[in-house]
Amino acid sequence: MENSQIEKDASQNLSDDLPRIKNYPLYFWRVFRKFFILVFFGIGTLIVVIAIFPIMRLVIRNNAKFRKKGHHFISCVLEFYIHLMSWLKICEFKISKEDLQTLRNLKGNVIIANHPSLLDVIYILAFVRDTDCIVKASLQKSWVGGVVKALYISNNVDFKIMEDECVEALKAGGNLIIFPEGTRSPVNGMNQFKKGAARIALAANAAVQPIFIGGNRKYGMGKGEPVWKVNPVERYKYEFTVLEKINVEKYSTLGETLAAKHLTEDMRTSLEAYFKKS
C-alpha cells in the first residue's frame, strides 16, 4: 500500500511540469488515438504470430537463415508502424539520412541508447534491419513466445549462457540492442549504467554504437507514468542521433573486470555529453 502511494505521488510529480489541459475534447482524441495504435500493434502481432511466421518457418528450414529473415521482416513491419504513428499524428520522429544509412549498414555491433519511453526499441528495430534484443523471460510464456524463442534472446538463463548466445549472434554479423540503464530513463538525466552491455561487447570484440534519443516529454510512455495519459498539448517527438562508435580494442590490455568498468563509463560519457549539449 505504501509503495503504491509512493508510485502515485511520483507520477503526480512527473506531471507537474506539463502544461494544463485546455481543450478536453482534443486531449481525449489524443488518448483515443494512442489506444488505437496500441490495439493495432497487438492485432498486427497476432497476425504475424499465427499466420505469417508459421508460413515462413515452413519455407525456411535453416534456423540461422530463418532468424535473419525474421529480423528483417520484423524491421520492415515496424518501419510501417512508426510511419503509421506519424501519419496519425501520435508521434513524429527525426533522423538524418546519414544516420539512418549508418544504422542500415551496421553489422556485428552492440547498439546502446538512453531509454526515455516504451517505443524506443520499436524505433531502433525499425531502423536496423538485422538486430537481436534481450527480452524478458515472461514473454516466452506469452502468446508471442514462439516468435520470441525463435528470433530473440531471453534473459531467463544464467548470464554466461545469455552472453554466449549474444556473442554468437554478434559474430554471425547480427547486431544487439541493449539499454545499459536496464530500465526506462528518468525525465531528466539517466540511471546508473549496468556492465552487461560492456561485458558482451568485450567478449564478442564488437564495436559499440551509441544512439541518443531526444525529443520532447513523452508523458504516458515513461517509467511510472500512466499509459492512458498523453502529453496534453503536443504529439510525442523523437529525435535520433547516431554518436561516434566506440571500438573495444583499446581495452584489450586491461583485465576483464576493469575493461568492462571503463567501457561502461565511456558509454555513459558518450550519451551524457550529448544529453547535456541537446
Side-chain angles (χ1 to χ4, degrees):
M1 183 73 174
E2 188 175 326
N3 288 338
S4 177
Q5 183 60 43
I6 290 172
E7 288 180 7
K8 184 177 179 181
D9 292 343
S11 177
Q12 181 63 43
N13 291 336
L14 286 171
S15 65
D16 285 345
D17 63 329
L18 289 168
R20 298 300 174 190
I21 302 171
K22 294 181 179 179
N23 186 332
Y24 277 91
L26 181 59
Y27 176 79
F28 288 124
W29 174 235
R30 287 195 177 101
V31 172
F32 171 79
R33 283 182 297 176
K34 179 180 179 180
F35 270 93
F36 169 79
I37 204 69
L38 293 175
V39 171
F40 182 89
F41 182 83
I43 294 172
T45 303
L46 183 62
I47 292 171
V48 168
V49 169
I50 67 175
I52 297 175
F53 270 114
I55 295 172
M56 287 180 65
R57 198 59 168 149
L58 286 172
V59 175
I60 307 170
R61 295 288 186 173
N62 181 273
N63 288 336
K65 190 174 181 181
F66 174 76
R67 192 182 186 96
K68 193 175 185 68
K69 293 291 186 184
H71 287 163
H72 192 277
F73 177 78
I74 291 293
S75 179
C76 292
V77 169
L78 291 179
E79 185 176 11
F80 166 78
Y81 185 71
I82 64 175
H83 282 292
L84 177 63
M85 287 192 293
S86 295
W87 183 72
L88 291 173
K89 297 183 179 180
I90 299 164
C91 306
E92 63 181 53
F93 68 94
K94 181 180 178 182
I95 183 171
S96 71
K97 290 182 180 180
E98 294 79 9
D99 282 355
L100 180 58
Q101 196 58 46
T102 296
L103 295 181
R104 287 278 196 259
N105 294 333
L106 281 184
K107 287 186 178 180
N109 281 207
V110 174
I111 301 167
I112 65 160
N114 55 315
H115 194 8
S117 83
L118 283 169
L119 297 177
D120 305 331
V121 69
I122 289 178
Y123 277 100
I124 298 175
L125 285 169
F127 297 149
V128 187
R129 288 303 189 218
D130 184 10
T131 186
D132 258 300
C133 60
I134 299 170
V135 298
K136 293 180 180 179
S138 58
L139 283 176
Q140 284 198 335
K141 298 176 182 178
S142 69
W143 55 278
V144 296
V147 173
V148 170
K149 289 178 184 178
L151 298 183
Y152 301 111
I153 298 167
S154 173
N155 67 354
N156 70 333
V157 293
D158 180 77
F159 180 82
K160 181 58 181 171
I161 297 173
M162 185 181 72
E163 180 184 84
D164 289 343
E165 286 187 51
C166 293
V167 169
E168 183 181 352
L170 288 163
K171 289 189 173 179
N175 301 288
L176 178 67
I177 302 170
I178 302 179
F179 296 105
E181 295 171 85
T183 186
R184 276 169 280 169
S185 309
V187 174
N188 296 303
M190 291 181 286
N191 297 302
Q192 184 177 357
F193 275 29
K194 301 180 186 298
K195 296 186 179 70
R199 288 174 61 183
I200 291 168
L202 290 164
N205 194 31
V208 176
Q209 178 59 74
I211 302 173
F212 181 78
I213 304 174
N216 63 353
R217 264 292 305 275
K218 298 164 184 68
Y219 183 57
M221 291 289 189
K223 189 172 181 63
E225 297 175 347
V227 73
W228 62 86
K229 293 193 175 182
V230 297
N231 189 308
V233 296
E234 58 183 352
R235 70 190 74 173
Y236 297 120
K237 295 180 181 178
Y238 289 82
E239 295 179 4
F240 296 88
T241 305
V242 176
L243 307 180
E244 185 177 353
K245 194 173 290 189
I246 303 172
N247 293 310
V248 299
E249 285 81 3
K250 64 179 179 178
Y251 310 99
S252 60
T253 58
L254 303 175
E256 183 179 330
T257 302
L258 194 58
K261 178 184 176 183
H262 282 289
L263 177 53
T264 301
E265 289 172 351
D266 288 348
M267 291 191 299
R268 183 179 181 90
T269 299
S270 174
L271 290 170
E272 211 165 43
Y274 198 87
F275 180 85
K276 291 175 181 177
K277 185 169 49 173
S278 64

